[in-house]
Amino acid sequence: MDVFKSMDVIGSALSAERTRLEAIQSNVANANTVRGVDGGPYKRKDVVLQSVPLQNEFGEILDSKDNTHVEVEVADVVEDQSGGRPVYDPQHPDANAEGYVYFPNVNPVEEMANMISADRAFQTNVNVFQTTKQMALKALEIGR
Amino acid sequence: MSEIGIKGNGLTSMLERQLLGREMTAAKNAELKGAPSDQTSGSSGPSSASFLDSLKNAIETTNELQKNADTSAKNFAAGKGSLHETLIAMEKADISLRTITSIRGKLIDAYQEVMKMPV
């Protein structure tokens, strides 16, 4: 049924927005982490989204002529390669020869703005879902 | 979704039995009323059989969605799967069950309407 295709599309969007929020969670949690996974300071993560035609659970495209239902998926989680924020602290164990420690390239204000954006996008998709459901239930009332 | 008493193939077989039972009583009644039996078998020819097939298909889909909702709820309880996917599976099951129920209601209405018809 078509209404279920719509729900799959909305579900993919909800998953994508959740992944965005998860990246933001990592960024905020590691805003002051000077020892990242690969040695240097933590690098800000960003999510790259891409659209895909609706697929079934075996990864086959359901209907190549159907260009109304387009899902979104997380193509990649990339690391922001811009330099970290240097802080002069010679006492720090990770300070370099000049006495600077490199903190992550995470800007908490920017992360907050991105968080609100992801949250609003999630809410919007939930609203779309509710409208889709209400339309389906309203259509069922035709038979009553 | 076991609280509405649907387990495994329960829903499919239940609805199928109801529908087939009604069809059989209808055929029997028609025979009792002296209608030629080949006409009844003729009416359940290709067109009505395909309708029954598509109905069966719809019931199968509904049953499948109920089972999906059940599995995803279990998975979520076991810490696997995401919250929104579970709820979407449940909504799908809900909508398909409502649809099939209303189709069933319409079919029974039509059957009763026909049975009320004075011959």
Side-chain angles (χ1 to χ4, degrees):
Chain A
M1 275 195 268
D2 235 24
V3 78
F4 296 151
K5 284 188 193 173
S6 313
M7 289 183 169
D8 286 335
V9 172
I10 299 163
S12 76
L14 293 178
S15 299
E17 294 306 330
R18 264 206 60 93
T19 314
R20 269 184 79 196
L21 192 68
E22 278 162 11
I24 294 166
Q25 287 159 14
S26 304
N27 292 345
V28 173
N30 289 290
N32 295 307
T33 308
V34 291
R35 289 178 195 170
V37 182
D38 50 359
Y42 173 84
K43 287 197 178 69
R44 185 178 159 269
K45 287 187 196 308
D46 215 350
V47 173
V48 182
L49 302 180
Q50 76 176 21
S51 51
V52 280
L54 194 61
Q55 294 170 340
N56 63 9
E57 61 258 53
F58 309 112
E60 295 161 337
I61 293 171
L62 285 176
D63 185 0
S64 53
K65 275 177 247 156
D66 174 16
N67 48 17
T68 327
H69 299 100
V70 181
E71 281 189 320
V72 58
E73 71 173 16
V74 176
D76 207 359
V77 179
V78 291
E79 284 188 336
D80 188 341
Q81 294 300 331
S82 62
R85 175 168 48 96
V87 172
Y88 184 69
D89 184 2
Q91 305 302 315
H92 198 284
D94 290 337
N96 63 8
E98 287 93 44
Y100 281 100
V101 187
Y102 281 91
F103 274 76
N105 51 359
V106 174
N107 179 0
V109 180
E110 197 186 316
E111 297 304 325
M112 284 297 115
N114 286 339
M115 183 189 78
I116 293 167
S117 158
D119 183 32
R120 290 285 189 275
F122 194 93
Q123 285 173 20
T124 312
N125 278 295
V126 171
N127 281 338
V128 173
F129 186 92
Q130 278 166 351
T131 308
T132 311
K133 184 186 146 193
Q134 274 161 16
M135 275 172 85
L137 292 179
K138 208 72 196 166
L140 277 177
E141 281 180 27
I142 295 171
R144 260 177 227 156
Chain B
M1 308 249 72
S2 38
E3 67 263 30
I4 36 173
I6 295 152
K7 270 193 179 137
N9 279 319
L11 178 67
T12 322
S13 49
M14 189 180 76
L15 269 174
E16 240 168 58
R17 236 179 290 133
Q18 273 188 3
L19 288 165
L20 288 175
R22 280 195 164 75
E23 212 174 56
M24 266 150 70
T25 29
K28 219 178 266 175
N29 283 346
E31 254 175 82
L32 285 176
K33 282 178 182 149
S37 54
D38 59 333
Q39 205 180 322
T40 31
S41 63
S43 71
S44 58
S47 64
S48 86
S50 74
F51 171 69
L52 200 66
D53 279 348
S54 54
L55 190 67
K56 268 186 193 164
N57 240 340
I59 297 168
E60 291 288 351
T61 317
T62 308
N63 194 38
E64 201 57 45
L65 287 164
Q66 293 283 346
K67 282 197 257 176
N68 279 354
D70 213 356
T71 351
S72 71
K74 273 181 198 154
N75 280 348
F76 183 69
K80 289 176 270 177
S82 62
L83 188 57
H84 63 263
E85 271 160 11
T86 312
L87 283 161
I88 286 174
M90 284 177 159
E91 287 301 336
K92 279 183 179 176
D94 179 44
I95 286 174
S96 69
L97 186 64
R98 278 173 201 265
T99 312
I100 213 79
T101 315
S102 96
I103 291 170
R104 191 202 79 119
K106 277 283 161 198
L107 277 175
I108 287 166
D109 281 355
Y111 166 75
Q112 278 167 349
E113 212 57 52
V114 171
M115 287 328 281
K116 265 191 266 169
M117 206 181 284
V119 186

